[in-house]
């Protein structure tokens, strides 16, 4: 098992804080003045994306789903570009053609995905296969939720990945809900990771709110994958602290939410750092301040960037000239 | 007359049919407790219970495939695909199963697949009009209402129809109000177009949300001395040739409008039918207005430019009727 | 566990013989003079369909795949109609519109399926759901192969069946091949039935060449299903003795085939009946003769029935009038 | 010149492109050891090894989805869907992923999906022409060759194209021979129609297998004094308007033929384009010939009646050109 250095603990913490501030800002702005891209908040689930991606190589692939923005930010996607995409402005990754929800960032190995949940599981097997063919030692991290794990692509993808010993990690954020459906109402087994056994591959259930555990377990499986030993299914137990999206009302009980807040990954990591005397309260305050400024600036950038010209609509449908898309 | 929204009209249709026939059941993601992403199934769980309003896991192959099985077993399921974009996941179950089982073994598949289509600020994966994906599939019927009245009457017919019907609901229109009589048994036969406005100079054939753009354009054009007839096919498969051809014979000019991309859309079929059956009646070329051949863009100004609107209809009509220049 | 009466053993044996003769005749006729419907032989796999369906109620549902004709014949589908369908003639179930491969026979609970393998798994869940809603105590038997189990529908269907405790049996004929692919090259686990554990439902691996075991195990699970205890996944190990279809050459080794023939379910059952003194050699000879005549007559019927009039093409596309299909 | 079959032409194209570019890999069910259901990939496993000719489990979502991933990762996969009927299973991966990822994140998806289409005695689930299912999907290209020469040149182009291309191979034609030069680098640009026969009285626009029916009809009609031009679009998306319109301007009459059901097929789009761009050129109505709106029947006489053939083309041409009666 990986041991984690002081520096890395600080690094992980910084990412947690950055992502938390980004989420809080998103929620606040949406409530105050709206954001064109409807936020689906990952508040409380940050440790999964952060812990998974913190130790990756620059060229490792990350195949995200809707609620795993922390993976992207940890991979290094610039906040400004995310914000510009959220507002449909120039300066983002697609000049307003697409939302930030399923953005790709090829130079950082971030694979663009689809709002149609679950299709990216077979896509991930393709990335793994490409790495196997090219022997490029890259690993692919495929992120999805408990709900997404119900698509048939789960079955077809992990069967193939296990057969071919592909360097793919399937990382589930089991946040106990898929929209309004509690997990026990849509999945016929308690631990989704137990399904791995049916594919002759390792499955692990881990505490998705413990960024150190996520980091260690993912790193462990990454090493396995890089060594050609094949895929792993990692189920991170967590909790969706916000409604499915910011436009929805909260339908769950206050008790349930109160209980869940007790496991908030951010204070938990703070307690650890204080206890280990790695950071002081005031250093943590400085980090929060630093990121609050950065996040504010990013949103300012996104909000005030110009809208794309209508011409942009016709770009990037096809590679090469395609006048006819104007039809 | 009483005015209700399309959402309410659909909800009434479901309610009435569920009361009329125990075999009608609802099946889909988040339709029971959450009442559907667009609240069309509001209240129905309480009214009819868990055995008739059934939440499914996130698995569209199951939503459609399971509903096909229930239909073959003699129930009359109304499946909900949360977004029309998700049709691609369940195309096999819909096009190779539901559509073909009667030919294969004589069994009816009285299935309705309701789904929400159209652009509304959500980007390429939650905005598509996918009726064009299935218009070449024998065995299916396709319905796309534009008013509360039609929505209610057509959904009730679709549920009573013994064939698989895909029912497209334009998501921008759920809140649109229109007259719907209270009580009675409002049933509109599938396969019948509706003339939404009478006119003499040009026929605008429009579907779904674009019907209202066509009506707005017609009102505006009236002021410029052009009298537009607006025809809403309502059922896209089978298409009502008679009403369309009759209108073209009356006006001698035609514009076809839909929100899906123009190339390969339902407008192609409509244009082809006119070119086959009424070509000598035309005094100007057929014109189609559809979205450009691009995914649906997210950014507001791009989406606005993407979706066919009254301005484009007006410009096109003017071009056709005064070819020397608008 | 069910005990099997002498009469039922004879009944099971008779079905085995009937199906074996039907297969042999099909293969012979195809070789000698061709058959419009390309045969995909179940030779050697008869015990699965026979043992599974022998004890069913008349109104139980059977959802077959391509190679499970013995299930249909055991359910009672008339041979004449099967043959007429194989030849595309009148007198079958669809007047030539469809092949016998995916025929339905509604009055016997036989559900029409699709040549597009695996789609019938979600359909089966629908039948199970209908029975649950109507409390009609019917069970649904869904048959598929090792290859078919790789479709995503496997995952989505059994998850739902287990969640809702649907009265569905998923019965796999694992005949070691999917076309040219040996099972270990396309499935990442030795026993597919082990996947059941991942869905909190029972999975059993049984000897698919032992008609008595198949009968007992299926009956056992049928009872469970009828009692509202939910689905079972039953993997029947068997072997495809013929090439994928009669138009293909044999690509496997003679040793492999010789070994497989040793487990032929028909002589195996004969040995049992002789040993238990349930039937004599000569009684078995009589049964064979009886069915040889019946099968010959059925093929005669199929081959000599008239072709449908072209009009038939336009029938049964839609319920109700649909002149427009002539377009 | 040397004559080879379409099967051989496709095999040569794959071989040449695999030699030219290591990134080209093949992916599909039974394509390696078994060399494909129609033997198009014969010999390639031996030549290029297991890392480039890859057998997959029976899972079309994986065949297409996996190939999309490889393409996004920079390979140039050629996926094989054993039958075009199976497109329905993988529509999500194809239409919502492959087709949209460039718009979504700027990444090219240089993917070819080869698939066998058309009726050949196998019944409704192994006989369909499903190009109509995807003609309304921005981001895709669709190719359908009719000769060995075109098959080779178009497949090589499709592989080099940076966009997802769906390549339909009519299964009745795999054994059809045609002239293909030995050696050289035969590349035919996508998006260019081919005039397969020059003529002055009427244009027959035909795709895939029906091209040969059109040519046979044209030969027969020649004897009756009618000179037919036969245009093969070859690429259905994007469609070559120029060649089509030019031909219509020359002959002033047009028949469109394809094997898929007429309603909502690619012929609808072609007819619509003509009705938009060349209506004043026409001396007779546009006519489409396609299959009836039924699943593909199994029985021989029914299948024969189903598939559009030279007789129907001849009758239709005669009706159009001598409207007083044939
Ligand atoms: C294929 C598909 N089905 C349904 C939806 C609608 N939808 C969006 S998010 C969501 C819930 C997903 O649940 P999960 O995978 O657990 O992710 P979470 O939202 O909990 O992060 C659903 C049903 C979708 N986008 N795509
Ligand atoms: C969805 C789909 N993919 C591929 C095929 C082509 N095909 C027909 S049978 C077969 C093998 C099926 O294997 P299995 O399920 O093990 O059944 P078996 O043939 O061994 O009885 C394949 C690949 C098909 N008909 N449908
Ligand atoms: Mg969830
Ligand atoms: Mg098999």
């Amino acid at each position: 098992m990986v041991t984690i250095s002081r520096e890395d603990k600080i690094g992980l913490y910084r990412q947690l804080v950055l992502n938390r501030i980004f989420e809080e800002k998103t929620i606040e702005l949406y409530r105050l003045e709206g954001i064109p891209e409807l936020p689906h908040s990952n508040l409380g689930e940050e440790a999964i994306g952060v812990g998974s991606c913190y130790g990756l190589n620059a060229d490792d692939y990350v195949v995200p789903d809707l609620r795993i923005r922390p993976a992207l930010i940890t991979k290094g996607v610039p906040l400004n570009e995310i914000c510009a995409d959220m507002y449909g402005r120039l300066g983002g990754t697609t000049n307003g053609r697409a939302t930030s929800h399923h953005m790709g960032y090829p130079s950082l190995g971030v694979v663009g995905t689809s709002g149609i949940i679950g299709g990216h599981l077979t896509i991930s097997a393709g990335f793994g296969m490409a790495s196997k063919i090219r022997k490029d030692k890259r690993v692919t991290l495929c992120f999805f939720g408990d709900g997404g794990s119900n698509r048939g692509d789960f079955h077809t993808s992990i069967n193939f990945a296990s057969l071919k010993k592909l360097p793919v990690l399937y990382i589930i954020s089991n946040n106990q809900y898929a929209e309004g459906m509690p997990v026990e109402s849509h999945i016929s087994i308690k631990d989704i990771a137990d399904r791995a056994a049916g594919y002759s591959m390792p499955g692990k259930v881990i505490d998705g709110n413990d960024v150190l555990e996520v980091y260690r377990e993912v790193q462990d499986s990454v090493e396995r994958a890089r060594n050609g030993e094949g895929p792993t299914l990692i189920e991170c137990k967590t909790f969706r602290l916000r409604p499915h999206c910011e436009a929805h009302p909260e339908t769950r009980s206050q008790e349930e939410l109160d209980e869940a807040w007790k496991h908030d990954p951010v204070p938990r990591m703070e307690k650890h750092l204080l206890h280990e005397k790695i950071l002081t309260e005031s250093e943590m305050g400085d980090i929060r301040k630093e990121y609050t400024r950065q996040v504010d600036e990013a949103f300012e950038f996104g909000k005030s960037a110009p809208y794309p010209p209508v011409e942009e609509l016709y770009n990037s449908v096809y590679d090469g000239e395609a006048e006819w898309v104007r039809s | 007359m009483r005015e209700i929204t399309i959402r309410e009209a659909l909800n009434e249709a479901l309610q009435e049919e569920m009361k009329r026939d125990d075999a009608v059941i609802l099946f889909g993601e988040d339709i029971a407790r959450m009442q559907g992403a667009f609240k069309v199934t509001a209240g129905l769980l309480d009214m009819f219970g868990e055995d008739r309003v059934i939440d499914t896991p996130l698995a569209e192959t199951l939503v459609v495939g399971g509903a096909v099985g229930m239909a073959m077993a003699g129930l009359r399921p109304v499946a909900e695909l949360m977004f029309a974009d998700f049709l691609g996941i369940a195309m096999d179950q819909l096009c190779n199963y539901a559509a073909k089982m009667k030919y294969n073994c004589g069994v009816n598949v009285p299935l309705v697949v309701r789904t929400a289509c159209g652009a509304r600020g959500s980007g390429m994966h939650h905005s598509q009009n996918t009726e064009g994906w299935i218009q070449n599939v024998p065995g299916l019927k396709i319905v796309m209402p534009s008013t509360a009245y039609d929505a209610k009457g057509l959904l009730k017919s679709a549920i009573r129809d013994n064939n698989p019907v895909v029912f497209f609901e334009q998501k921008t229109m759920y809140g649109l109000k229109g007259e719907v009589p209270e009580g009675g048994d409002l049933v509109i036969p599938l396969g019948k177009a509706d003339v939404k406005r009478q006119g003499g100079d040009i026929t605008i054939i429009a579907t779904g949300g674009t019907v209202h753009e066509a009506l707005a354009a017609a009102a505006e054009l009236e002021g410029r001395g052009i009298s537009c007839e607006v025809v809403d096919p309502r059922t896209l498969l089978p298409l009502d040739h008679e009403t369309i051809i009759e209108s073209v014979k009356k006006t001698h000019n035609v514009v076809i409008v839909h929100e899906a991309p123009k190339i390969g859309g339902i407008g192609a079929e409509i244009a082809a039918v006119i070119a086959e059956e009424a070509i000598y009646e035309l005094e100007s070329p057929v014109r189609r207005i559809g979205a450009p051949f691009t995914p649906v863009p997210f950014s507001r100004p791009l989406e606005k430019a993407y979706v066919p609107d009254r301005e484009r209809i007006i410009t096109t009509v003017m071009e056709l009727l005064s070819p020397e220049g608008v």
Side-chain angles (χ1 to χ4, degrees), chain A, chain B:
Chain A
M1 265 293 168
V2 191
T3 56
I4 312 182
S5 70
R6 284 175 70 90
E7 286 64 45
D8 283 341
K9 285 184 178 175
I10 296 172
L12 286 161
Y13 173 66
R14 293 182 70 96
Q15 281 297 341
L16 277 186
V17 172
L18 169 55
N19 277 285
R20 172 59 52 96
I21 290 170
F22 194 93
E23 279 313 287
E24 286 171 344
K25 181 80 183 179
T26 307
I27 295 167
E28 185 197 343
L29 279 178
Y30 181 79
R31 191 172 47 81
L32 290 178
E33 53 184 51
I35 298 178
E37 176 185 295
L38 175 57
H40 291 66
S41 180
N42 57 65
L43 203 89
E45 306 179 34
E46 299 90 343
I48 300 168
V50 169
S52 296
C53 293
Y54 184 79
L56 294 185
N57 293 342
D59 65 356
D60 286 330
Y61 294 117
V62 168
V63 192
D65 80 343
L66 178 68
R67 212 181 293 280
I68 198 83
R69 179 174 292 139
L72 276 60
I73 292 180
T74 305
K75 225 1 178 109
V77 177
L79 303 185
N80 280 3
E81 300 194 37
I82 296 175
C83 289
D85 281 347
M86 288 168 75
Y87 284 86
R89 310 293 174 120
L90 291 176
T93 63
T94 67
N95 291 346
R97 290 194 306 277
T99 64
S100 89
H101 272 144
H102 315 102
M103 68 190 297
Y105 210 93
S107 63
L108 293 168
V110 174
V111 174
T113 55
S114 159
I116 302 177
I117 289 179
H120 64 302
L121 272 86
T122 44
I123 308 301
S124 297
F127 273 89
M129 192 71 212
S131 289
K132 184 178 173 178
I133 293 171
R134 295 196 287 217
K135 301 180 178 58
D136 62 13
K137 294 278 175 193
R138 291 176 172 183
V139 299
T140 296
L141 267 55
C142 173
F143 291 96
F144 52 104
D146 46 297
S149 80
N150 282 328
R151 276 277 300 269
D153 295 58
F154 173 82
H155 176 61
T156 61
S157 182
I158 69 176
N159 179 55
F160 188 69
S162 175
L163 261 177
K164 299 281 180 188
K165 291 204 176 302
L166 302 183
V168 181
L169 274 62
Y170 295 89
I171 303 181
I172 304 178
S173 301
N174 181 349
N175 63 3
Q176 311 307 319
Y177 287 92
E179 296 216 1
M181 305 267 292
V183 67
E184 63 277 9
S185 72
H186 66 87
I187 292 188
S188 65
I189 190 169
K190 199 174 131 282
D191 294 323
I192 307 171
D194 285 354
R195 291 185 169 167
Y199 300 84
S200 314
M201 67 189 258
K204 311 180 191 176
V205 178
I206 70 174
D207 181 346
N209 283 15
D210 179 350
V211 74
L212 299 175
E213 180 168 339
V214 174
Y215 175 76
R216 267 194 309 265
E217 292 293 346
V218 168
Q219 280 303 307
D220 192 51
S221 297
V222 161
E223 202 175 307
R224 211 177 159 269
R226 255 196 247 291
N227 290 339
E229 294 167 67
T232 307
L233 180 64
I234 302 177
E235 178 180 4
C236 304
K237 301 282 191 187
T238 185
F239 192 92
R240 200 191 69 211
L241 291 174
R242 297 289 305 164
H244 172 65
C245 64
E246 293 303 310
H248 285 187
E250 184 53 78
T251 54
R252 297 161 304 175
S253 74
Q254 197 54 48
E255 292 96 290
E256 191 181 355
L257 293 169
D258 286 346
E259 175 57 34
W261 272 103
K262 291 188 196 147
H263 307 282
D264 183 344
V266 184
R268 195 157 152 185
M269 183 64 175
E270 284 172 351
K271 213 173 292 169
H272 174 83
L273 295 174
L274 288 170
H275 182 261
E276 301 263 303
K277 301 209 176 357
I278 297 175
L279 286 178
T280 63
E281 291 271 15
S282 105
E283 286 168 320
M284 291 180 186
D286 290 345
I287 292 174
R288 273 197 296 274
K289 248 182 260 155
E290 176 190 342
Y291 286 135
T292 304
R293 212 199 52 246
Q294 275 190 32
V295 167
D296 286 351
E297 282 171 12
F299 275 91
E300 212 37 63
F301 175 85
K303 273 160 61 165
S304 57
Y307 276 117
V310 166
E311 269 307 293
E312 199 53 55
L313 164 58
Y314 307 107
N315 288 340
S316 288
V317 185
Y318 291 91
D319 186 64
E321 234 204 281
E323 255 309 298
W324 50 282
V325 303
R326 295 164 187 268
S327 71
Chain B
M1 208 194 288
R2 174 184 74 140
E3 291 211 339
I4 60 175
T5 64
I6 289 189
R7 177 183 292 108
E8 290 161 341
L10 293 167
N11 184 276
E12 278 190 6
L14 292 172
Q15 234 183 86
E16 289 176 16
E17 293 306 301
M18 290 179 82
K19 279 188 191 143
R20 207 182 52 82
D21 183 353
D22 275 355
V24 179
I25 66 105
L26 311 184
F27 195 62
E29 295 164 12
D30 271 312
I31 61 161
R33 267 168 300 192
M34 300 300 281
Q35 322 196 94
F38 299 98
K39 305 293 170 233
V40 173
T41 51
L44 301 180
L45 174 64
D46 285 347
M47 232 175 273
F48 299 101
E50 282 199 337
D51 267 1
R52 296 188 61 198
V53 185
I54 304 166
D55 272 335
T56 69
L58 193 168
E60 287 71 15
T61 51
L62 175 83
V63 173
V64 176
V68 172
M70 286 189 265
M72 290 178 75
L75 295 176
R76 305 187 82 81
V78 181
E80 178 175 304
L81 276 182
M82 203 183 278
F83 289 87
D85 312 73
F86 304 170
L87 205 60
I89 306 173
M91 280 286 279
D92 185 43
Q93 287 74 15
L94 182 68
C95 301
N96 289 321
Y97 236 101
K100 292 182 173 59
M101 276 306 123
K102 187 167 181 72
Y103 208 68
N104 189 57
C105 60
V107 168
N108 287 335
V109 186
L111 165 72
V112 178
V113 177
R114 291 180 39 246
T115 191
C117 64
R120 200 198 58 171
S122 313
M124 66 184 74
H125 291 120
H126 286 68
S127 301
Q128 295 172 87
N129 289 276
T130 50
E131 69 279 5
W133 299 17
I134 50 172
Q135 62 176 339
N136 198 214
V137 181
L140 299 182
K141 296 186 177 182
I142 306 176
V143 174
M144 188 184 272
S146 69
T147 65
Y149 185 89
D150 290 351
K152 180 168 181 184
L154 290 166
L155 182 53
K156 282 166 65 87
S157 286
I159 292 172
R160 295 186 199 179
D161 199 287
N162 280 333
N163 302 288
V165 179
V166 185
F167 194 94
F168 287 93
E169 303 168 2
Q170 204 99 26
K171 64 178 87 70
T172 47
M173 300 203 305
Y174 279 122
L176 191 72
K177 285 194 165 190
E179 296 193 338
V180 179
E182 190 115 40
D185 188 24
L186 174 58
V187 169
I188 299 172
L190 305 191
K192 284 267 155 255
D194 186 42
V195 178
K196 289 273 186 265
R197 178 190 172 110
Q198 302 272 352
D201 297 330
I202 188 164
T203 298
I204 308 176
I205 302 168
T207 64
T210 62
V211 170
H212 301 281
E213 295 303 313
L215 289 169
E220 163 74 25
L221 286 161
E222 176 100 72
R224 304 197 201 174
I226 297 172
S227 161
C228 301
E229 179 143 312
V230 177
V231 176
D232 176 0
R234 302 195 294 194
T235 302
L236 305 183
L237 195 57
L239 203 58
D240 178 356
H241 290 208
E242 204 179 311
T243 305
I244 291 170
I245 298 301
E246 212 170 87
S247 179
V248 171
K249 283 188 176 163
K250 175 172 149 194
T251 66
H252 309 293
N253 296 284
V254 64
V255 174
I256 303 159
V257 199
H258 54 63
E259 190 180 310
K262 176 177 125 176
I263 297 174
I266 186 71
E269 177 62 26
I270 298 171
V273 165
I274 295 168
E276 288 179 326
E277 299 180 21
I279 199 162
Y280 297 126
E281 301 289 341
L282 288 172
E283 290 170 1
S284 64
V286 172
R287 283 291 290 277
R288 290 178 292 165
I289 299 176
F293 209 61
T294 79
V296 184
F298 164 59
S299 184
R300 271 181 201 156
L302 303 189
E303 191 189 83
K304 190 171 170 349
Y306 176 91
V307 176
D309 62 4
R310 59 198 71 182
E311 302 308 326
R312 279 179 65 196
I313 298 172
I314 292 168
T315 314
T316 306
V317 167
M318 297 298 290
E319 277 171 19
L320 276 181
L321 297 188
S322 34
E324 278 75 51
V326 187

